[in-house]
Amino acid sequence: MSVSCGMLGTSLTQEILSSLGLANKTAAWGTLGTLRTFLSFSVDKDVQRLLKAITGQGVDHSAIVDVLTNRSREQRQLISRAFQERTKQDLLKSLQAALSGDLEKIVVALLQPAAQFDAQELRTALKTSSCAEDVALEILATRAAPRLQACLAVYKHDFQVEAEEDIRTETNGILQDLLLALSKGARESYSGIIDYNLEEQDVQALQQTGGSSPAGQWVLLFTQRSPEHLTRVFDRYQRCTGQELEDAIRNCFHGDAQLALLSLASMMRNTALYFADKLHHALQETEPNCQVLMWVLISRSESDLLSIRAEFKKKFGKSLYSSLQDAVSGDCRSALLALCRAEDI
């Protein structure tokens, strides 16, 4: 039995925009990212401003941050090309020579094309075992199919190896199975139709898994079903068994497999909340983990950072912007705050 869900309740977009006082301005906003196309964009003015920032007396960090964090990634690519044409110099290399530390890392990430940024982060994740189970999963599980395919194409071009080969070399077990399946980009898109029969079949399959190797059905569901379908499966599983699906994962799996499945379950339940939790954890470390903060704020800045900020405020009672203000210092602080934006959410 299938049924169209239609428009059920207030959309998350409308809820977030309402909390920002922008509920009637969706046409102007147009995205759940904090960075969006800058309407008064002038390539020539931006090139001149950046050139002045790196060739004047002392490097003007604030001007660099202001330009790069107020432009979309596509606009930053136009600026880079125009800078090259007008000065015969590479903008990225020029900025790298003028900057250092975390601010340099942020600028490099901002100036990379989206596919190159994803490919570089995926490569780093796979070659650094301590983060393979989170960053690699985040890229492969949350990118739309066209962006994922572009990332994998750049990965092959830049590193002269298929991402799948690195996954096989650098990971093992269920984590490897999950990453390989996700790299196929075969996740079902949400059609707006609720398939109750498939929900029941999936719940029954999960209940019946057991013995020494219950992984196959879990990998199938977590890598091919849409997040909307999975959320309903999670709820139905709890009604049928009396326990959260996450508890079943903890009972059935251990080590990297458990961590990977729990991370994917969290992403599928509520992607924005998953990243809000990740940001909060990074801010709670003895020294704020700027690498994690940079990764989340940059990678989600043009997609769902407003949703992440809303979940952060709702769960932790304090805005992400204020939390960054209180916890982060150093030369990257202004850039992180600019990526977050100052609205009190």
Side-chain angles (χ1 to χ4, degrees), residues 38-254:
F38 188 64
L39 298 180
S40 301
F41 177 55
S42 168
V43 173
D44 287 334
K45 288 181 180 179
D46 285 345
V47 168
Q48 291 170 10
R49 192 175 179 195
L50 288 172
L51 187 59
K52 182 178 178 181
I54 59 180
T55 59
Q57 288 190 338
V59 178
D60 189 346
H61 291 186
S62 62
I64 295 169
V65 168
D66 186 55
V67 170
L68 298 184
T69 61
N70 277 289
R71 308 292 181 267
S72 67
R73 195 175 288 276
E74 182 178 352
Q75 288 177 326
R76 292 193 291 269
Q77 294 307 302
L78 294 175
I79 293 169
S80 294
R81 288 196 288 271
F83 190 95
Q84 175 77 43
E85 291 171 0
R86 288 158 177 71
T87 68
K88 308 305 178 185
Q89 299 175 41
D90 183 272
L91 176 60
L92 180 56
K93 291 180 179 178
S94 297
L95 288 172
Q96 283 182 293
L99 303 171
S100 61
D102 288 333
L103 182 56
E104 179 188 350
K105 294 177 183 177
I106 291 175
V107 166
V108 170
L110 288 172
L111 283 173
Q112 289 177 318
Q116 186 180 23
F117 171 69
D118 287 345
Q120 180 62 60
E121 293 298 322
L122 179 59
R123 173 77 167 188
T124 301
L126 292 174
K127 294 297 181 179
T128 308
S129 60
S130 62
C131 65
E133 70 276 7
D134 51 23
V135 173
L137 282 170
E138 290 158 15
I139 293 171
L140 296 177
T142 67
R143 293 300 190 222
R147 181 161 173 178
L148 177 58
Q149 293 309 311
C151 163
L152 297 177
V154 171
Y155 193 105
K156 180 179 180 180
H157 176 272
D158 286 0
F159 306 116
Q160 298 298 299
V161 63
E162 297 277 3
E164 288 186 1
E165 185 175 334
D166 275 346
I167 291 171
R168 291 190 178 92
T169 302
E170 303 295 338
T171 64
N172 54 58
I174 297 173
L175 174 59
Q176 181 183 99
D177 294 339
L178 288 167
L179 293 175
L180 287 173
L182 288 168
S183 69
K184 304 294 184 184
R187 189 181 298 283
E188 300 162 353
S189 59
Y190 182 52
S191 65
I193 304 297
I194 298 177
D195 191 333
Y196 291 107
N197 289 330
L198 184 60
E199 278 183 39
E200 183 177 359
Q201 292 172 20
D202 287 345
V203 170
Q204 289 178 352
L206 292 177
Q207 287 180 274
Q208 292 167 5
T209 55
S212 60
S213 181
Q217 190 63 35
W218 294 82
V219 172
L220 172 66
L221 261 65
F222 276 69
T223 61
Q224 294 194 15
R225 300 289 191 257
S226 71
E228 294 83 0
H229 175 82
L230 284 171
T231 299
R232 292 192 297 273
V233 169
F234 295 166
D235 292 342
R236 189 163 184 161
Y237 185 92
Q238 183 178 14
R239 293 196 301 271
C240 292
T241 65
Q243 71 169 343
E244 296 274 1
L245 189 74
E246 287 84 350
D247 292 331
I249 291 172
R250 294 185 184 95
N251 292 333
C252 292
F253 302 95
H254 304 282

Side-chain angles (χ1 to χ4, degrees), residues 273-294:
L273 180 57
Y274 168 87
F275 283 109
D277 283 332
K278 183 162 186 166
L279 287 167
H280 185 259
H281 180 74
L283 287 166
Q284 294 302 303
E285 294 186 21
T286 305
E287 288 290 331
N289 190 328
C290 287
Q291 189 64 38
V292 171
L293 296 174
M294 286 187 283

